[in-house]
Amino acid sequence: MFIPARWRYLWLFFVVLVCALVFRLAFVDRFNELKQPYEIGQGALIDQAALLINTRLSLVETQIRLFRHELELLNPTQAELEPAMISMFKLYSDTLQVRWIDTQGFERVRLNKSANSSVVAVPTDELQNKRKRYYVEAGLALANDDVFISQIDLNVEQGKVEWPFQPTLRGVIKASLASMGDGLLVINFDLRSLLNEVAALSETNIQLLVAAGKDRWIVHPDQSQLWRSDLKLGATGIETDLPKLARLIEDDGLAQ
């Protein structure tokens, strides 16, 4: 039986197409089977990281409220304020700095934890005006019982990033003492141990990246990519490095 050439070609094309579809389906099925353990591992790692970070963030509001409450109960005189604040460093081990800032933005009291974990009061002539810092502006705009939690960034003193780097989260709340009047209680929380713990979750085949905002990596396997916006080295983060992922997250409503 004679079959025209065009039909033979069409039949051959159909056979090839069916084979290709069968191969693709088999490949996709096998690929999904192989990648499933990695997806499970990735999901578990992300859940662990999110739990660590969210637990720490939720403690910030609790701690600063308790700190303010304890100060108000003590109701220290101006001379007693520093000793009262120093005693509270013992209760909150990751407290890096505590400040009382007046409504004009001037630091009235500032206590820093040094490298050897001792608490040092900054001399009066070294106190600064922080009125233009974003967390002070946000604090002054708060309702009385609200807490402002800052972005995660590197601690800055005298306009310079402190070395060694101190990843910091600030809690700000309005406070009032008879001896000081109205002001802001500002606490800097040291996040080094938290970020080290999160970074340690990475595995050989799964590398964890954590961004703070749109222009800052705070956990990244390449150390040179960390804190670049803080160091004025140009923004780097999910939007600049992974724009497709950033759009996907926005489209899915996972980020606001």
Side-chain angles (χ1 to χ4, degrees):
M1 177 180 179
F2 175 73
I3 301 176
R6 66 176 181 275
W7 292 111
R8 291 201 300 271
Y9 291 139
L10 284 173
W11 174 252
L12 179 61
F13 173 75
F14 177 75
V15 171
V16 170
L17 179 61
V18 170
C19 289
L21 288 173
V22 170
F23 175 79
R24 183 179 185 280
L25 290 173
F27 173 80
V28 169
D29 186 59
R30 179 57 178 162
F31 178 74
N32 288 335
E33 182 181 339
L34 290 173
K35 76 175 184 178
Q36 186 177 17
Y38 291 98
E39 290 180 338
I40 293 172
Q42 288 174 351
L45 188 146
I46 291 170
D47 288 344
Q48 290 179 66
L51 179 61
L52 287 173
I53 293 171
N54 289 334
T55 298
R56 185 65 199 91
L57 295 181
S58 67
L59 285 175
V60 168
E61 182 172 349
T62 300
Q63 286 178 290
I64 194 168
R65 287 185 185 279
L66 288 173
F67 206 117
R68 183 185 69 170
H69 179 65
E70 290 161 3
L71 275 183
E72 290 175 343
L73 286 178
L74 291 172
N75 193 25
T77 65
Q78 191 165 348
E80 295 169 336
L81 183 56
E82 283 185 10
M85 285 182 166
I86 289 174
S87 67
M88 292 182 196
F89 274 81
K90 298 176 182 178
L91 297 176
Y92 310 107
S93 59
D94 59 354
T95 299
L96 184 63
Q97 184 183 89
V98 176
R99 285 172 286 175
W100 184 280
I101 296 178
D102 67 23
T103 56
Q104 302 304 310
F106 286 98
E107 294 176 329
R108 299 285 299 281
V109 174
R110 186 171 92 219
L111 303 172
N112 296 333
K113 182 183 287 184
S114 64
N116 64 5
S117 295
S118 62
V119 180
V120 179
V122 175
T124 302
D125 59 355
E126 294 181 19
L127 298 178
Q128 305 167 54
N129 187 292
K130 297 287 188 176
R131 182 65 182 82
K132 293 184 179 180
R133 293 288 282 156
Y134 71 91
Y135 56 87
V136 173
E137 293 181 345
L140 293 172
L142 287 172
N144 286 336
D145 290 323
D146 289 345
V147 174
F148 173 74
I149 298 175
S150 78
Q151 62 189 18
I152 298 171
D153 56 19
L154 295 179
N155 200 43
V156 175
E157 289 299 337
Q158 302 292 346
K160 295 182 179 180
V161 172
E162 284 199 317
W163 177 261
F165 295 155
Q166 292 182 331
T168 299
L169 181 73
R170 299 166 190 84
V172 185
I173 192 170
K174 283 185 173 178
S176 183
L177 291 174
S179 60
M180 303 296 292
D182 295 333
L184 298 177
L185 182 62
V186 181
I187 303 179
N188 289 22
F189 295 94
D190 188 350
L191 296 186
R192 283 175 291 187
S193 61
L194 170 66
L195 296 184
N196 288 339
E197 193 174 357
V198 172
L201 294 174
S202 290
E203 301 172 0
T204 303
N205 297 320
I206 305 175
Q207 293 295 320
L208 183 67
L209 284 77
V210 180
K214 298 179 179 180
D215 62 353
R216 180 183 292 107
W217 292 116
I218 61 174
V219 173
H220 196 289
D222 181 357
Q223 296 291 304
S224 67
Q225 297 302 309
L226 297 173
W227 313 111
R228 291 182 63 84
S229 59
D230 300 76
L231 302 173
K232 312 301 182 187
L233 296 176
T236 182
I238 189 168
E239 287 206 340
T240 54
D241 297 355
L242 302 168
K244 291 183 179 179
L245 178 59
R247 287 196 295 271
L248 180 63
I249 290 173
E250 291 181 357
D251 291 344
D252 286 348
L254 298 178
Q256 299 298 327

